[in-house]
Every structure is written in C-alpha cells, then in structure tokens.
Amino acid sequence: MALDGIVTRAIVHELQGCIGGRISKIHQPNGHDVVLTLRAQRGNSKLLVSASPTYPRVHFTEKTFLNPTEAPMFCMLMRKHCEGAIIENIRQIGMERIIHIDVRQRDELGDVSVKRIIIELMGRHSNIILLDPTTDAILDGIHHVTPSISSYRVVMPGFSYTAPPEQHKSNPLEVSQNEFEQKIATAANVDADENEAGSQTDTTKTAIETKADASRWLVNAFSGMSPLIAGEIATRTGSDSDRMEAGALWTAFKSVIESVKEHQYTPVTGLNAKGKMIFSAIRLESIQDQEKTYDTMSKCMEDYYGDKAERDTVKQRVSDLLRFLQNERSKNIKKLDNLNKDLLEADDADKYRLWGELLFASLHLVNKGDKSVELINFYDEDQGNITIQLDPLLTPSDNAQRYFKRYNKYKNSLAVIHEQLGKTKDEIAYLDNLLQQLSIASMNDIEEIRDELVQQGYLRDRNKKGKKKKKNDRPTVHQFTSSEGIDILVGKNNLQNEYVTNRLASANDTWLHTKDIPGSHVVIRSTDFGEATLEEAAQLAAYFSQAKESSSVPVDYTYIRHVRKPSGAKPGFVIYDHQKTLFVTPNDELIKSLPSTIKNG
C-alpha cells in the first residue's frame, strides 16, 4: 500500500495549519468518503477523508463532489457534533496510519463539548469513527464492525473504542544506530538457531544479505514502513553485491528517516521499473520515468489518486449495464450481417423475373421432370443462352410462377430491408454512444443512464411501485471555466446532453461535438470569446469522447440554432449544419487545470 506511516506523517504535518480553524460544512458524497470544509488561516479549504477499502486517504482537495439529496445518518451525526466546531488538535498515533482530530463546539445547552474524529487508513479495515474522548464511547462509525465480523473489536454506537491491534514494531524515528544494529544482530542470531533446528522459515540473517530481504526485514521491524520505502532504503545502500552490510543499511535508513523526522518532504509521483505509477512523500531513486514533484503532499495525492476510487466503484456498479449493452450490440451486429445477406439476395430479384418470363415464353420447350433448361435470352443484345434451374416435381408453368413469386417477395422486402438496415445501424450507434458514456461516467451519471434505458424500454424500473421521480429532478450538469473566464457546459450522457443543448443553451451559444465519433455535447455559454476558449472547449469535446486516447481528433462546432433533434430520434441524437471543424489532441493536464463544478441543472 503506497499510503504508509511516512505519507500519513507528511499529511498530518500539512494539517497543522488547520488547528484553530473551524469546520464550516460537512458532506458525505458516498458510503466511504467525508468532505470537511475548513475555514482557517489559509482561507477556505476542503479536506477529503476517505475510508475506501481500496484507496483510503486524507488530503486537501480541489475536486467538486455531488452530494446526495438526503444526507446519510453518519453525515447527520458528524454535522450535529462537528459542524461549526473549532479544531483543537491533529496528531498521528506513533508512525501508524491513524489520525486523531479533536474538535470543540458548544452543544444545544451551550456547554463546551469535545469530540474526536479517528481516521484509520487500514486498507479494507479503514474507518472513520466519531467518539467522545471523555468516555471513549463510540458515537458512530462510517463503517460498522459487528461481533460477527470481528472478535477483536466492535465499531458500533455505544461501544467503547478499541484501537486496531498493535504490530509491536519499533518507531523508526526513535531508533539509534546502536539499537538498529542490535536488532539486526538479534534477528540474525534467532535465525541462526532456527536454521540449526532445521526450520524452513525465511531467515532474517539471509534477509540482511540481499536487498530484497533487507527490505522485508525493515517492513517487519519498523512501524509505518511500506515495502516501497523499505526498498528505497535498500537501494540507497548502493551495494551491488549479495551481502548487505549493517552499517551501509543504517546509513541509508538514516538518510531517509532524518528527512522525515525534520519534516523535509519532497512529494513525488512517477513510474517504477515495472511501469507502475507510484507516489511518495520523499524522492525515490526507484522512479524510472515521468517523475513529477509537488509543493504539498495533498497535491501529490490528489494527482496520484485522481478519480481512481470513483472509477473502481463505477466499474462495479456498471458491470450489469455494460454486459447488457454489449449483448444488445452483439445481437444488432448479427442482425446487421443477416440483413446484408438478405439484401444481396433481394438485389437478385430482377434475375428471378427474367427467368419467369423466359420460361413462360418457352413452355413448349420444357417438360415436367426436367432439372434445368437452356433457353435463348431474348432480352440480351447478343441473344446468348441462359441456363435456368427447375424443380422436376413442378410443371413448367408452376416453375415460372415460382420465380415470379420469388421476384415479388424480394422486391417487396427490399424496402423493409433498407428500413431495418437504417434502424439497426442507428441502434448500434446508440449503443456505442452509451458504452462510451459508461466509460467516463460518474456515480450520478450511471443512474441517469439507467433511467434513460428504463424510459426507452430496455430495462425494467427497479424502483418500488408508486415511487415516482420528483418533477424538479434535473440531470447533472458539468460546468468548466475557460482560461478566459467563460462557462463551458459538458453533457456526459444523453439526458445531460439533451438538457445542456436543448434547455440551457441559447441560440447564439456555440455547440461542439466530435465529428462522427460518439462523445459529449459541449456548449460555450457566450457570444464573445477568444481562440483559447474555443480550443479548450474542443479539448473537452475530444477528451469526453471515444477518441480520448487519439491524436488530431476532428471536432465540429456551430451555433446552437443550427443544431436540432429529428422527430422520433433516440435520446442525445441531433443533426446540425453550418459547422466548422478543428483538430485537437486531448490533453489530460489541460483538462485538469480548468476549474470545474458539478450541479443539478
């Protein structure tokens, strides 16, 4: 896990500027995360506290979160006890991934009340717990732990708080060189005894002889030490031999720990030798490519995590929709193949008419029982012969009638086939569009896509009977601000696209969309803007499209008054004219640099 005790220490040091500040707002956008709006010396800031089992973390954030219309119970409790409270203390427990935030406010009676927010960043056991420090009684936790889940401790309202199990490791900030080397010697002696007894376990003596085993020993010996930092210490020994000297390991250990002890951090991200993105509070020699440093630990973590947590949650939530849409697309692709085969057959309709007429004109030359007949094609300029296959069980007249019936059948079916071909191609385009929208969807976007599929009759309504959607419910709107201060609206699904294009935009606003590529509707809400805004809007159109990873993506733009939805068309489908086209290559950094917000309507 990249978030270790050292990263936690760096974050807690960064949070010290909030002591004396006030918690002005509390939101809980989902089941794992709490966002605290803080008002301190540094001004207003948002602190993301996440107990995600996959990406637990704490850092300041610039992201905008769409909150549920009804706050969860844990959020309501946090608001009751912590909203408006003064932050008195923020500390890390040892070098563990545990943070305590003490807050003080006045209760309903005007008495001073102190509460403690405990943040445990323990992987799948991560939690956010609110308790009364005077009694250690838990008020609630964002994740409940019942006796049936854990026999060690319970996280439920009314129970006493029990800290996570101790690891019985040394604090790396407090160890001296003598203690460090004694630990190595002690571990080596223990291992030597185990080897004499024929133990099959990995030995620490062996562990100190190689970089890989030295790394494992450091992780097991010291709290807050991740494999990433332990590996960095082993790398800094500079030893290329198999044997790892204790003195060299201590020197490397001290070079890392001294900077941590003095709060001298260099937050960094980059790719390791395996091409995996990593991050750290200190500079890493193991970073091989794309190294990037940051002013603060929060900026580093915000960039590293990005929308990883949401994307993982979205992937789980969209799996059924994805499977359904892919199956529907496969059915339509197969239908398209069959229609094309029918079209090839139907295109031969004139051939059957010709055969029928030639047979009727030459009935005297054909006998019942013939399997074929060769006749002169008097419609041909060269009067060449043509061979016509016959059914020997039918009379010559019936054979001619059979070809006329086949001719009429295919002639009548041509119009139907062409109509079905058009509908099937439109259906595939619609499904491709939905699949593209799912690839960039947020949690709220998923529900809107699901609602659309219900409205279009693809899915059954999963809501309870009689539960109707509120009339004032509006699709989510993603609003960006260009470098020139102009608002740019982006629809990330069909409901949003229609709302942005048909409801919010004015006739003289500029509309953008990738040319012949599934993607978002983008609207520049101004008649007066420069090339920079147009370029940034085109970037947004390309970034939120199927061509996100491509270069030189064609983006059409025109006025809203030239955009219209055909009668009976699928949601989100429009036609437009008077367009111009420009080509852009999606730039992830540029998109992230644009201020953005999410709102309902």
Side-chain angles (χ1 to χ4, degrees), residues 69-70 467-474:
T69 52
E70 294 183 8
K467 186 180 179 182
K468 296 182 179 180
K469 201 173 183 181
K470 296 177 182 178
K471 291 183 179 179
N472 61 350
D473 276 359
R474 297 174 180 176

Side-chain angles (χ1 to χ4, degrees), residues 223-243:
S223 63
M225 186 76 62
S226 66
L228 177 66
I229 298 300
E232 174 67 16
I233 292 171
T235 299
R236 289 192 186 187
T237 60
S239 174
D240 294 325
S241 64
D242 286 339
R243 188 162 186 80

Side-chain angles (χ1 to χ4, degrees), residues 112-124:
V112 173
S113 171
V114 176
K115 297 294 183 288
R116 178 169 296 157
I117 303 168
I118 299 179
I119 306 162
E120 300 174 346
L121 307 172
M122 303 289 187
R124 62 191 182 92

